[in-house]
Amino acid sequence: MMKLSKKVLALALAAAMTAGMVSGCGGGSKTSATAAPSAGSQAAGSEAAGSQAAGSEAAGSQAAGNDGAESKVPGEIEAGGSLTIAIPQLHNTFFMPQSTTTSDRFGAQPVLESLGRADTEGNYFPWLAEEFVTDPDNLTFTIKLRDGVKFHDGSVCDGEAVAWNIQQYIDNGKASEIGTPREVKVVDDLTVQIQYDEWANNWDNVIGDIYICSKEAYEKNGVEWCQTHAVGTGPFILESFIADNKITYTKNEDYRIEGQPYIDHLEIDMITDTNTMMSALLNKEVGVAMKFENDAIINAIKQAGFESVGRKNANVADIKHIIWNSKSDKHPMGDLKVRQAIMHAIQWDDVAKALSGGLGESTPLFCTSDSWAYAPDAKFYEYDPDLAKQMLAEAGYPNGFETTIYTKAVDNDTATAFQAILAQIGIKAEVNVMDSSALAAIQKEDDIDGFIANRGASKMDFTNNYIRLYSSEGIKNHGIMLRPAEFEEPLFAARAAKTIEEKKANLQKAAKALVQDYVMITPMAVVYYETFAVPGLEDSGIYDVSLEQWTPEAVHWTK
């Protein structure tokens, strides 16, 4: 039995959400969510019927900022101009049914629109779609589309095109990511119906996150072309994509929302070096620079007069973590006692501060303290390296062992920190820095001899992410994840829950099994990023809702 510290993160969960916060959770009756009118409608973060854009500063609304405490009056919109956004991650593909990371969504959104969007409380509402209808009795989810919407190549965004896009997710191994539909059928030109075999409370979420591309462009050019090109319905038309460098876009003059987008030319630069990104912002070579996590750099940028944008909550954080090979009995990590021993070698608060530039925090579970997955009675493993060595010896490794930590360049800090933790208890680990696509490839099915150092987006509701990434229904980690019943049964029960309270209770059980009981994942640090914009830029929606969602149609300069 593991030895647990008396230290308990007894931070209270956020106030209980009302039943309406998860569409369809009520079960037993048909529910409908309707989008705001397309003409003149505003950006994500709006309520389903005609509210303001996410992050927009209408009179009396909150200013974009981490505490949201200061109100301000928006400037007058100055249409036109250019905007360059610097991001620290690489864009991998525009063919979203084959994307293995949610970070691809940021660069796709100016061109490819999702069927739905989320507001700041996590509720999904139709975006490209006009209405979602959930029928728990008949196990159907119906998508009603807007009339007259066209792709950039002139083809119509109709029921056939949308149904084809959904089928692409299924055909490319992502059926579980969208709830494992039994059938996708076209009811009429503007209606698609998805039939399921069992009830789940997240259909609006998983279907809302489907990005729609032109079926005609795919059939004309093929899948490889669609990986580096995109034809969508979005506010911008893809101009060029230079891998590992930049993406450029030009304004879609025929965008479905009248008067938008405001920006004429958009560019996303991929700058993986933090100092280079900071320099580009300070010299105003970019209008937005994203994902700073070092307090010294952040303070320097603030002192230079740049504005922090976004909010601080469970949906706008990353969790740096270690994925173990908890499944295979060929390697030491397959022994639970070995995994628990190493957990006793981690100085949780010190590691978290070091990996987050002093801005983050430690967590005993793979979630933030305001997430639905966070159990108030969760405990850290007590830091006790002597106990760790004793447990290793009892497991048959008195002199430690040799292993490998696989990672990407952006996560090398997590890998080297974990390498040092292992070294103090006699485990020699080599760090193998891999290309992101190569790492993603081995994560699908391989029996990996070692660990993976990674980072992943935090969520208020982790149900979809836990299923998508760490369950037997997921898209990766099949060769290394143990997936005991104590994890999967409550996780799938959370997806099928009829009430918010039932969903939270089951999700918390799954979260404890994932980290505390079976040590399949070890969270090393919660990182709350800071993103900065040049003064005068408004309504980007960046980090208002999540790390991926933003509002390219609404962003503008002010006079």
Side-chain angles (χ1 to χ4, degrees):
M1 182 177 295
M2 69 179 180
K3 180 179 179 183
L4 293 170
S5 135
K6 294 181 180 179
K7 178 180 179 182
V8 178
L9 283 189
L11 297 172
L13 288 171
M17 305 296 181
T18 61
M21 282 194 58
V22 173
S23 177
C25 259
S29 63
K30 187 182 294 185
T31 61
S32 175
T34 307
S38 61
S41 69
Q42 298 291 332
S46 64
E47 297 299 329
S51 62
Q52 295 292 333
S56 68
E57 274 91 25
S61 68
Q62 298 293 329
N66 282 343
D67 56 9
E70 181 185 353
S71 63
K72 72 182 196 179
V73 178
E76 184 179 351
I77 293 174
E78 181 173 17
S82 300
L83 171 64
T84 299
I85 300 174
I87 62 173
Q89 72 271 11
L90 302 179
H91 184 89
N92 300 288
T93 183
F94 286 102
F95 191 56
M96 303 308 285
Q98 292 183 350
S99 173
T100 59
T101 172
T102 55
S103 64
D104 285 337
R105 297 177 182 180
F106 192 88
Q109 280 175 85
V111 181
L112 306 176
E113 294 188 284
S114 55
L115 289 172
R117 278 183 177 176
D119 64 20
T120 54
E121 293 183 332
N123 304 302
Y124 269 74
F125 60 92
W127 179 246
L128 177 58
E130 188 167 55
E131 185 179 3
F132 292 155
V133 181
T134 300
D135 187 343
D137 293 328
N138 292 306
L139 300 178
T140 60
F141 185 81
T142 301
I143 305 161
K144 297 186 178 182
L145 302 172
R146 301 176 188 274
D147 193 10
V149 177
K150 291 186 177 182
F151 292 101
H152 301 151
D153 60 5
S155 59
V156 178
C157 181
D158 57 9
E160 182 182 352
V162 169
W164 175 86
N165 271 270
I166 297 170
Q167 188 63 44
Q168 289 303 305
Y169 278 71
I170 297 170
D171 294 346
N172 282 277
K174 288 193 170 189
S176 63
E177 190 171 321
I178 59 173
T180 315
R182 185 177 77 198
E183 181 185 14
V184 181
K185 66 180 181 180
V186 179
V187 177
D188 57 43
D189 286 349
L190 296 176
T191 309
V192 175
Q193 187 174 84
I194 304 173
Q195 180 71 57
Y196 288 97
D197 286 324
E198 58 184 10
W199 160 252
N201 52 43
N202 61 352
W203 292 336
D204 58 343
N205 181 324
V206 296
I207 300 303
D209 278 340
I210 290 178
Y211 289 78
I212 304 301
C213 70
S214 166
K215 176 175 180 283
E216 186 173 298
Y218 177 94
E219 291 174 342
K220 179 181 178 181
N221 300 289
V223 64
E224 290 187 9
W225 185 90
C226 289
Q227 291 167 354
T228 56
H229 300 76
V231 178
T233 61
F236 291 89
I237 297 170
L238 182 64
E239 190 174 72
S240 69
F241 169 51
I242 303 174
D244 302 345
N245 188 334
K246 66 180 178 180
I247 314 170
T248 60
Y249 317 78
T250 187
K251 178 178 181 177
N252 176 11
E253 299 286 355
D254 299 316
Y255 185 52
R256 62 185 176 84
I257 301 180
E258 185 178 353
Q260 293 184 349
Y262 301 115
I263 298 293
D264 289 335
H265 187 268
L266 177 66
E267 179 173 312
I268 294 179
D269 290 352
M270 294 163 249
I271 303 176
T272 57
D273 180 74
T274 301
N275 291 322
T276 303
M277 185 185 290
M278 179 179 69
S279 176
L281 179 66
L282 294 177
N283 292 324
K284 297 188 178 180
E285 297 166 3
V286 300
V288 178
M290 297 178 61
K291 278 194 170 183
F292 289 104
E293 53 182 287
N294 179 283
D295 56 353
I297 290 176
I298 287 169
N299 287 333
I301 294 172
K302 286 181 176 179
Q303 290 173 8
F306 292 87
E307 297 180 353
S308 178
V309 299
R311 306 170 192 269
K312 180 179 178 179
N313 61 45
N315 285 324
V316 290
D318 262 351
I319 303 176
K320 296 186 176 184
H321 61 276
I322 300 294
I323 304 175
W324 305 65
N325 187 337
S326 54
K327 180 179 181 179
S328 177
D329 58 5
K330 300 176 184 177
H331 315 301
M333 289 72 67
D335 186 336
L336 177 59
K337 194 161 193 174
V338 170
R339 302 197 298 274
Q340 291 174 334
I342 296 172
M343 293 286 275
H344 283 296
I346 301 173
Q347 292 180 287
W348 300 99
D349 290 341
D350 291 347
V351 171
K353 291 297 182 184
L355 289 177
S356 63
L359 299 173
E361 61 193 23
S362 58
T363 176
L365 299 175
F366 191 70
C367 59
T368 59
S369 59
D370 58 339
S371 168
W372 292 358
Y374 188 84
D377 62 344
K379 299 175 176 66
F380 287 95
Y381 279 75
E382 182 181 19
Y383 175 66
D384 189 338
D386 290 334
L387 175 60
K389 292 175 183 177
Q390 176 187 326
M391 293 176 69
L392 281 178
E394 292 171 356
Y397 303 98
N399 300 313
F401 52 88
E402 294 185 2
T403 186
T404 304
I405 305 170
Y406 299 90
T407 192
K408 307 183 295 292
V410 70
D411 296 312
N412 193 45
D413 59 344
T414 302
T416 54
F418 195 61
Q419 180 186 46
I421 289 167
L422 296 176
Q424 69 175 324
I425 54 174
I427 299 173
K428 183 179 180 181
E430 176 188 356
V431 175
N432 184 348
V433 180
M434 305 178 68
D435 176 81
S436 59
S437 59
L439 182 59
I442 69 169
Q443 271 190 265
K444 286 185 178 180
E445 300 288 347
D446 290 8
D447 176 8
I448 300 170
D449 180 14
F451 309 85
I452 296 172
N454 202 1
R455 72 178 70 196
S458 173
K459 297 292 180 182
M460 184 68 74
D461 179 0
F462 253 115
T463 309
N464 298 338
N465 274 37
Y466 282 0
I467 292 173
R468 174 178 175 268
L469 300 175
Y470 310 124
S471 82
S472 56
E473 294 183 8
I475 63 172
K476 60 171 65 176
N477 298 316
H478 295 295
I480 59 176
M481 295 296 292
L482 180 63
R483 296 162 177 163
E486 291 85 350
F487 170 63
E488 293 209 328
E489 287 178 3
L491 178 59
F492 298 148
R495 179 176 61 187
K498 297 296 194 297
T499 68
I500 293 292
E501 291 73 21
E502 181 186 356
K503 184 170 193 174
K504 288 181 179 180
N506 279 293
L507 191 54
Q508 289 169 21
K509 290 178 183 177
K512 290 175 76 172
L514 182 66
V515 178
Q516 189 168 292
D517 298 336
Y518 287 93
V519 196
M520 295 177 279
I521 290 181
T522 296
M524 303 290 281
V526 175
V527 181
Y528 294 103
Y529 300 110
E530 292 259 17
T531 287
F532 292 92
V534 172
L537 187 72
E538 300 285 349
D539 289 354
S540 70
I542 293 172
Y543 290 1
D544 275 341
V545 173
S546 69
L547 293 178
E548 305 88 29
Q549 182 177 296
W550 64 298
T551 55
E553 75 287 342
V555 64
H556 62 270
W557 296 103
T558 58
K559 294 182 180 179

